[in-house]
Amino acid sequence: MACLSSSQLQKFQEDGFLVLEGFLSADECVVMQQRIGELVANMDVPLHSRTIFSTQDEQLKVLDNRDYFWNSGDKIRFFFEKGVFDEKGNFLVPPEKSINKIGHALHAHDPVFRSVTHSPKVQALAKSLGLQMPVVVQSMYIFKQPHLGGEVTPHQDATFLYTEPLGRLLGIWIALEDATLENGCLWFIPGSHTSGVSRRLIRAPAGSIPVTSFLGSEPAWDNSLFVPTPVQRGALILIHGEVVHKSEQNLSDRSRHAYTFHLMEALGTVWSPENWLQPTAELPFPPLYI
Ligand code: AKG
């Protein structure tokens, strides 16, 4: 299952994404969801760090304590949906229904997510894609909460995780619950990964405000070009770093949990020193093959 056939490889090269249904079993999904339940039950986010993650008005809009987000690359941190706090930062909805995502180093610090990320199945998949020295650059658990889960506006992942040369970034997105048209499945523009990157998020030198800015702008993509990609629980979607994709708001009463992480082929690749996310002394990007 984890080894791609030549027709799957060809489809990935043509479309810039590929669905692998049944990559994980329902039981494997439940283990991750239960672990997230424990992390959320023990979550302690100080009032001043209650940070809203939204891609609605701009791709990355962080309110309140910006450092809480920008320094989360080597930590496990919690980010919230819009409208879940009162003006003092108290929860207006149950905390477990308020989280947009957890990021960005579950793969390094949590044993359950480390084990899935480095599992033999994922390693075999990376090998069949020809990756020689893949490293894990980040991970996220995305909740897409019922009624509250915000949209993720059209983007290319390399906008945020830029490499030279391009073409070295791969997203692995695993549905832990069925992802449907109603609860906010992913949508892709097939073949949109071949024309470079429209914009880049650049980290400003330390101490500067704003902390980041965009070079270039996201084109106004024609909505009719996007193809919905509903998948069942346990499906894995391979996402080329430059393919344009999005997900819509979840207006349904069912959540759409997903675990996602990004790999970079480190051989012959330069990770941009201007990326918001940088390897740190505490957490250099871990090799996938361990
Ligand atoms: C990303 O992580 O780049 C995504 O686009 C994920 C969007 C989603 O899970 O809704």
Side-chain angles (χ1 to χ4, degrees):
M1 168 77 241
C3 283
L4 298 178
S5 65
S6 54
S7 60
Q8 285 174 315
L9 274 172
Q10 193 183 343
K11 180 119 184 83
F12 179 61
Q13 279 152 12
E14 279 168 14
D15 290 347
F17 68 99
L18 182 73
V19 174
L20 302 174
E21 285 285 0
F23 187 83
L24 293 189
S25 68
D27 287 350
E28 288 171 310
C29 295
V30 167
V31 170
M32 281 191 267
Q33 290 184 280
Q34 283 175 343
R35 179 65 191 138
I36 282 296
E38 289 165 14
L39 291 176
V40 171
N42 294 316
M43 148 178 98
D44 179 20
V45 182
L47 276 181
H48 68 274
S49 294
R50 295 191 179 166
T51 301
I52 293 163
F53 182 84
S54 164
T55 68
Q56 228 160 16
D57 311 319
E58 55 198 56
Q59 190 59 52
L60 194 62
K61 183 174 172 196
V62 181
L63 307 178
D64 301 336
N65 183 352
R66 291 160 192 228
D67 289 347
Y68 184 77
F69 184 91
W70 299 121
N71 296 336
S72 66
D74 58 359
K75 301 180 183 67
I76 296 179
R77 287 190 164 169
F78 301 81
F79 305 100
F80 298 93
E81 293 288 354
K82 270 184 181 169
V84 300
F85 299 126
D86 68 14
E87 68 284 357
K88 293 191 177 133
N90 300 306
F91 286 102
L92 293 168
V93 297
E96 68 279 7
K97 300 281 179 214
S98 66
I99 306 172
N100 170 291
K101 68 176 178 180
I102 301 178
H104 289 91
L106 281 163
H107 64 282
H109 298 310
D110 185 84
V112 168
F113 288 90
R114 190 188 310 124
S115 143
V116 171
T117 308
H118 293 274
S119 64
K121 271 195 268 200
V122 170
Q123 294 193 19
L125 180 61
K127 283 184 183 149
S128 74
L129 283 157
L131 300 184
Q132 295 184 58
M133 283 177 50
V135 294
V136 188
V137 299
Q138 68 162 18
S139 55
M140 295 183 281
Y141 190 98
I142 301 176
F143 290 78
K144 212 68 164 177
Q145 302 279 3
H147 307 295
L148 284 173
E151 76 167 313
V152 174
T153 54
H155 67 280
Q156 299 167 290
D157 291 342
T159 287
F160 307 98
L161 309 172
Y162 190 80
T163 62
E164 279 176 6
L166 284 169
R168 301 300 174 91
L169 184 77
L170 178 72
I172 306 268
W173 187 98
I174 303 174
L176 303 181
E177 297 179 309
D178 292 351
T180 66
L181 286 177
E182 291 73 34
N183 71 1
C185 68
L186 296 183
W187 296 63
F188 291 91
I189 303 184
S192 55
H193 59 300
T194 56
S195 315
V197 168
S198 314
R199 60 182 179 143
R200 285 184 56 194
L201 184 75
I202 304 288
R203 185 190 266 266
S208 311
I209 303 279
V211 179
T212 59
S213 59
F214 282 108
L215 277 186
S217 57
E218 198 67 32
W221 297 104
D222 177 352
N223 245 337
S224 68
L225 298 175
F226 284 91
V227 173
T229 312
V231 292
Q232 291 182 357
R233 164 185 246 186
L236 181 150
I237 306 184
L238 282 177
I239 305 177
H240 186 287
E242 285 123 76
V243 74
V244 178
H245 59 290
K246 65 170 187 173
S247 67
E248 296 185 343
Q249 244 182 309
N250 182 4
L251 298 175
S252 80
D253 53 12
R254 302 185 66 167
S255 56
R256 195 231 61 193
H257 289 194
Y259 175 55
T260 182
F261 55 95
H262 285 85
L263 302 176
M264 172 183 70
E265 168 57 87
L267 188 66
T269 308
V270 177
W271 180 255
S272 172
E274 295 174 318
N275 284 338
W276 77 269
L277 175 82
Q278 293 298 324
T280 60
E282 294 75 32
L283 184 60
F285 294 152
L288 180 71
Y289 301 148
I290 49 171

